[in-house]
Amino acid sequence: MTKRIAMWSGPRNLSTAMMRSFGSRPDTFVSDEPFYGCFLKDSGADHPMAEEVIAAMDCDWHRVMTSLRGAANDGAPIWYQKHMWHHMVGPVGYDDFEGFTHAFLIRQPERMIASYLNKRETARFEDFGMERQAEFFEREADRLGHAPPVIDAADVLRDPQHVLAKLCSALGLEWTPRMLYWEPGPRATDGPWAPHWYATVEASTGFGPPEEEAPDLPEEAQRVANQCRPFYERLAEHRITA
């Protein structure tokens, strides 16, 4: 039986490094933002490489959801799925993920937005899905009777071994040090948008150093960070720490 782990985050939250980490496990298959093509086709969002992404991906919401409920492509017993709630603008929602194990990856808004602005000229509140993520988190906490696992990118970078070991325990997985390192370069499982977004991860062999102080943002970007902060803090209360 396949154990499906849905890891929910916003962009620039260490999400691709986390996908590399889980992809280093010998028992795990990974998927990279499987609803991104659906989001771009339905929303018309002006994202880098949008046409290439739409052409390369299945953009039917229901068909993608059906595939995610099936067996992992290589028959692996664990299927780690990297998801972003700001992509979820179509007919697929919380109830469609029955039977999945959910976890949440967050990052301080100023750091997240500063990283995003390294790749795009502007940032909007809607680009990060924070409100949807918090809503989904609360629904899952109500279903479980306790908070689902939450990890903060800063905590992972500060002490990846202990934070990831606790995350594995919360997910019902055996911890392996293989999650701390990986071979550099692209992966066949990377999304078609990788050439624009993944240069740093492709050059990496493990998690980077601890994060520095959050940078000062332009006034409009700081306004977006302020909008994101209440939702970040709601999840951060429950984050796993070393």
Side-chain angles (χ1 to χ4, degrees), residues 154-175:
D155 295 323
V156 174
L157 293 175
R158 192 177 298 116
D159 192 344
Q161 178 172 341
H162 289 97
V163 172
L164 292 181
K166 287 187 174 183
L167 173 63
C168 285
S169 177
L171 294 172
L173 304 180
E174 182 179 352
W175 158 248

Side-chain angles (χ1 to χ4, degrees), residues 1-241:
M1 182 176 179
T2 305
K3 184 180 184 69
R4 296 171 190 82
I5 298 170
M7 177 64 81
W8 297 95
S9 77
R12 316 308 288 175
N13 278 15
L14 204 71
S15 57
T16 308
M18 285 296 301
M19 183 175 68
R20 285 287 191 274
S21 176
F22 274 86
S24 297
R25 297 178 59 100
D27 58 0
T28 302
F29 180 76
V30 300
S31 287
D32 193 5
E33 301 179 31
F35 290 106
Y36 193 16
C38 300
F39 161 74
L40 290 173
K41 183 177 180 180
D42 281 18
S43 69
D46 184 21
H47 281 205
M49 301 185 66
E51 291 183 3
E52 294 91 334
V53 172
I54 292 170
M57 298 188 75
D58 187 342
C59 297
D60 182 280
W61 293 92
H62 295 295
R63 197 161 54 226
V64 173
M65 189 70 248
T66 297
S67 72
L68 296 176
R69 293 196 198 101
N73 285 0
D74 64 354
I78 301 167
W79 189 353
Y80 179 91
Q81 302 172 6
K82 172 189 169 192
H83 290 294
M84 306 249 165
W85 256 114
H86 69 284
H87 292 169
M88 309 306 289
V89 299
V92 171
Y94 173 80
D95 293 335
D96 294 293
F97 287 89
E98 183 179 356
F100 285 63
T101 300
H102 298 281
F104 297 80
L105 174 62
I106 58 175
R107 190 181 189 188
Q108 183 181 1
E110 283 78 6
R111 290 172 169 144
M112 174 180 68
I113 293 170
S115 179
Y116 190 80
L117 290 174
N118 286 333
K119 295 293 185 177
R120 303 203 67 192
E121 292 184 0
T122 60
R124 304 173 307 146
F125 177 68
E126 295 79 11
D127 293 328
F128 301 100
M130 298 292 291
E131 187 171 8
R132 293 287 306 275
Q133 188 179 32
E135 175 192 1
F136 187 91
F137 170 84
E138 290 172 354
R139 293 183 69 175
E140 183 65 3
D142 287 344
R143 184 186 72 84
L144 294 172
H146 59 80
V150 179
I151 55 172
D152 190 307
D155 295 323
V156 174
L157 293 175
R158 192 177 298 116
D159 192 344
Q161 178 172 341
H162 289 97
V163 172
L164 292 181
K166 287 187 174 183
L167 173 63
C168 285
S169 177
L171 294 172
L173 304 180
E174 182 179 352
W175 158 248
T176 170
R178 291 279 296 275
M179 296 178 69
L180 298 175
Y181 57 90
W182 49 83
E183 293 295 320
R187 301 287 190 275
T189 49
D190 289 348
W193 52 88
H196 181 82
W197 295 98
Y198 288 1
T200 300
V201 169
E202 288 180 359
S204 71
T205 58
F207 291 101
E211 293 193 300
E212 299 177 353
E213 289 296 318
D216 292 330
L217 295 174
E219 182 177 352
E220 178 59 23
Q222 185 60 55
R223 184 187 66 79
V224 175
N226 293 341
Q227 285 181 278
C228 291
R229 184 168 296 104
F231 304 106
Y232 164 80
E233 291 178 349
R234 193 178 306 176
L235 272 68
E237 291 178 7
H238 304 279
R239 74 190 196 277
I240 293 170
T241 61

